[in-house]
Amino acid sequence: MSSLPNNGLENSTEYTLNPLDPEEFRRQGHMIIDFLADYYRDIEKYPVRSQVEPGYLQKRLPDSAPSNPEPIQTILQDVETHIIPGITHWQSPNFFAYFPSNVSVAGFVGEMLTSGFNVVGFNWLSSPAATELESIVMDWLGKILKLPNSFLSSGNGGGVIQGSTCDAILCTLTASRHRMLDKIGRNNIGKLVVYGSDQTHSAFQKAAQIAGIHSNNFRPIATSRSTAFGLSPDSLRSAILADLEAGLVPFFLCATVGTTSSTAVDPIGPLCDVAKEFGIWVHVDAAYAGSACICPEFRHFIDGVENADSFSLNAHKWFLTALDCCCLWVKDPSALIKALSTNPEYLRNKATETNKVIDYKDWQIALSRRFRAMKLWLVLRSYGVTGLRNFLRSHVKMAKHFEGLVGMDKRFEIVVPRTFSMVCFRLLLLPVMRVHANGEQLNDEERANELNWRFLESMNSSGRLYMSHGVVGGVYMIRFAVGATLTEERHVNMAWKVVQEHADIVLGA
Ligand code: PLP
């Protein structure tokens, strides 16, 4: 109890805490920073993927909340003992799964300021700095990406920070749906059709479901190895024409730069050309790979974005900015506002009525919003464009190195060529494995998939690293995504050792 203010009163029925006592805040804040600094210093000692069984925590924690206050030391001890075992260490240098969600000192410090101020910036008046900083940093980042002026608030467009790509897609889909229904009448919602590819992230499907698009009118257009799993403009055109022929109304395309399974890139320019012929809103989802486009050598992957209507990337993936920070730019903010704004009396104010300010509540789903721009501002200022480019390039270089190692070992194949900092590879079947064992029904492809599933599980269960999988064209492959802030070449070399050791195990060498 010594950590609590009002010492000596804790047994009194009149006992009250000051839950925001500045000195207590200082004391506990320092303690947490020390705790996290030690965590980062020692992070490699933990198994990367949590090894607990479902329900582990229920067995360890009490059934109900404490009646009396507990000291921070006790709580932190429980974090160490009970919570950390159930954490998958995304910031471990040996984390190569999914896409990164990397962070930095600047990202954390920015997040601390955001949480520390805890303002609720729904409109300009509710915290002018939160709104204005958001417009400024989104213009900064837009300029670094060489987005056309039409996407910037200094042009006629603007940027907004959303919580996730799913939010960004839902908001843009809703804006374009609203625009289209204004034209064709609200009762025709059942005719609206949306397009993506079979590689588009499931966030798109979720957004379409929420936006009331009939499930029959969700078009995940098939991709193939011949287009490196990118969406073919000809296939898009054929799908649109067939829908028009059937009396349906095409209105939205979600194109991707850097798909989740294999980092495939949809050809933005040619897709926009097709979509624009039919008045379709194009959203470009560059959740992971958009960050790389700040480097001149990667910028060509978003060529053509000038003809899209909206563009988003997750700074909380591969841009050193803590969750959550999805950067969305739109050319026509009024489309968002028409679809998403409400104006309750209690929020009426002079600034809004001048029409000279942005009220970001009208650019997103929720009313309340965090001051997320702070962390992006800190990241951009603390590392500068040069530092950020070097950081991204170091990951690409390490992925290339790993790709080279895989390429030299005949037991493996690279399934799709690497584009950014992710290598997609798999273990090949040994000739002996192709001989059908008695009673076994699997064909070679299924055997290879099953082998790689076991191979991946074997590696991840070791706790020494964590990778995840994807399936493209029916092929199960292992994704090695470099992007954790602490990863160095020695970690990649160690990962390669783990890969080789476990290949020996599953191949029975
Ligand atoms: N789009 C792509 C290409 C992704 O890779 C991801 C997540 O990995 C998402 C969308 C979903 O992002 P969020 O979790 O921010 O909705």
Side-chain angles (χ1 to χ4, degrees):
M1 288 294 167
S2 61
S3 66
L4 294 169
N6 302 340
N7 245 351
L9 287 179
E10 57 267 33
N11 294 325
S12 155
T13 49
E14 288 165 38
Y15 166 59
T16 51
L17 285 165
N18 171 2
L20 199 49
D21 176 71
E23 290 314 313
E24 193 54 20
F25 177 67
R26 190 188 312 281
R27 191 182 75 83
Q28 293 196 24
H30 285 171
M31 209 181 272
I32 299 293
I33 294 292
D34 284 342
F35 179 86
L36 287 172
D38 290 349
Y39 169 75
Y40 279 105
R41 187 195 56 205
D42 300 336
I43 194 164
E44 289 186 56
K45 77 178 184 195
Y46 302 111
V48 185
R49 189 189 72 178
S50 171
Q51 307 284 318
V52 300
E53 296 295 329
Y56 90 101
L57 198 53
Q58 194 83 49
K59 294 185 192 133
R60 295 180 180 215
L61 295 191
D63 284 348
S64 47
S67 305
N68 293 316
E70 294 185 82
I72 186 70
Q73 289 92 334
T74 310
I75 302 168
L76 270 185
Q77 188 54 56
D78 283 351
V79 172
E80 179 89 52
T81 314
H82 300 307
I83 301 298
I84 287 188
I87 283 186
T88 289
H89 300 277
W90 283 69
Q91 306 311 322
S92 163
N94 301 311
F95 183 95
F96 302 104
Y98 312 110
F99 280 139
S101 181
N102 67 26
V103 76
S104 57
V105 172
F108 276 134
V109 169
E111 185 64 37
M112 281 156 67
L113 288 168
T114 299
S115 303
F117 291 130
N118 198 37
V119 299
V120 187
F122 38 69
N123 61 14
W124 180 86
L125 188 64
S126 71
S127 233
T131 297
E132 296 198 14
L133 189 64
E134 189 156 329
S135 306
I136 291 167
V137 290
M138 288 299 289
D139 273 10
W140 281 11
L141 185 52
K143 284 179 192 165
I144 300 169
L145 285 161
K146 300 214 176 324
L147 293 183
N149 238 358
S150 50
F151 277 111
L152 308 184
S153 61
S154 51
N156 292 324
V160 55
I161 303 180
Q162 305 262 345
S164 70
T165 295
C166 192
D167 294 325
I169 299 177
L170 178 56
C171 289
T172 51
L173 188 79
T174 305
S176 60
R177 181 194 65 179
H178 194 86
R179 193 164 76 179
M180 188 51 87
L181 292 179
D182 274 351
K183 257 195 226 161
I184 65 169
R186 310 261 135 208
N187 292 339
N188 285 314
I189 187 168
K191 292 185 180 168
L192 296 181
V193 191
V194 298
Y195 303 85
S197 85
D198 57 5
Q199 301 298 310
T200 308
H201 193 275
S202 57
F204 178 42
Q205 188 181 357
K206 182 181 260 198
Q209 274 169 219
I210 299 171
I213 304 307
H214 196 293
S215 56
N216 291 342
N217 294 349
F218 178 77
R219 299 271 175 278
I221 298 170
T223 59
S224 67
R225 199 169 279 275
S226 67
T227 57
F229 300 101
L231 174 57
S232 139
D234 287 343
S235 305
L236 174 67
R237 175 188 293 281
S238 305
I240 293 171
L241 290 174
D243 286 329
L244 287 170
E245 184 74 30
L248 298 173
V249 181
F251 83 106
F252 189 88
L253 165 68
C254 181
T256 309
V257 174
T259 59
T260 314
S261 291
S262 68
T263 71
V265 176
D266 294 339
I268 303 304
L271 289 173
C272 285
D273 289 345
V274 173
K276 290 299 132 191
E277 235 181 89
F278 301 98
I280 292 174
W281 179 300
V282 180
H283 177 74
V284 177
D285 167 14
Y288 151 77
S291 304
C293 299
I294 71 162
C295 301
E297 67 273 29
F298 290 111
R299 172 58 177 76
H300 66 94
F301 287 116
I302 55 169
D303 280 358
V305 70
E306 59 279 8
N307 292 324
D309 297 275
S310 47
F311 174 80
S312 63
L313 66 80
N314 279 355
H316 63 245
K317 275 190 163 43
W318 195 19
F319 209 66
L320 297 178
T321 313
L323 256 179
D324 48 356
C325 191
C326 171
C327 302
L328 166 69
W329 291 267
V330 290
K331 267 190 186 161
D332 179 11
S334 76
L336 283 179
I337 294 167
K338 279 182 198 147
L340 300 171
S341 78
T342 52
N343 289 302
E345 177 58 34
Y346 82 103
L347 294 181
R348 281 191 60 193
N349 68 86
K350 247 208 276 179
T352 296
E353 277 157 25
T354 62
N355 276 331
K356 286 193 182 140
V357 298
I358 292 178
D359 289 341
Y360 274 125
K361 71 178 176 59
D362 299 334
W363 298 43
Q364 65 169 29
I365 297 164
L367 168 67
S368 298
R369 64 196 321 272
R370 306 179 72 233
F371 189 173
R372 296 191 188 99
M374 183 70 86
K375 56 193 169 190
L376 190 53
W377 190 48
L378 262 93
V379 166
L380 291 170
R381 293 187 61 185
S382 300
Y383 306 120
V385 180
T386 308
L388 288 161
R389 283 181 181 150
N390 288 342
F391 174 74
L392 292 157
R393 284 171 178 148
S394 74
H395 287 151
V396 175
K397 190 167 160 230
M398 286 187 270
K400 199 169 171 185
H401 172 60
F402 185 82
E403 181 184 41
L405 295 170
V406 175
M408 283 188 306
D409 189 328
K410 295 276 174 291
R411 295 176 301 171
F412 298 98
E413 83 168 341
I414 300 287
V415 180
V416 287
R418 182 192 51 79
T419 310
F420 302 99
S421 69
M422 186 171 86
V423 181
C424 297
F425 71 104
R426 69 169 173 167
L427 197 49
L428 292 168
L429 287 180
L430 295 174
V432 64
M433 293 171 160
R434 296 178 190 277
V435 178
H436 285 225
N438 265 355
E440 240 189 286
Q441 299 298 314
L442 301 181
N443 62 34
D444 279 357
E445 206 51 66
E446 288 165 337
R447 276 166 210 270
N449 288 352
E450 195 271 340
L451 173 74
N452 279 282
W453 181 83
R454 274 192 294 119
F455 174 43
L456 180 61
E457 192 47 34
S458 169
M459 289 189 286
N460 288 339
S461 300
S462 76
R464 291 163 72 192
L465 48 63
Y466 187 24
M467 297 186 230
S468 55
H469 75 280
V471 176
V472 288
V475 171
Y476 182 103
M477 61 191 187
I478 297 169
R479 300 161 72 265
F480 183 79
V482 183
T485 312
L486 298 172
T487 302
E488 297 170 18
E489 194 167 306
R490 67 190 168 93
H491 299 105
V492 173
N493 289 333
M494 180 52 74
W496 175 237
K497 246 181 107 188
V498 174
V499 168
Q500 288 182 304
E501 283 172 24
H502 286 263
D504 286 346
I505 295 170
V506 295
L507 292 174

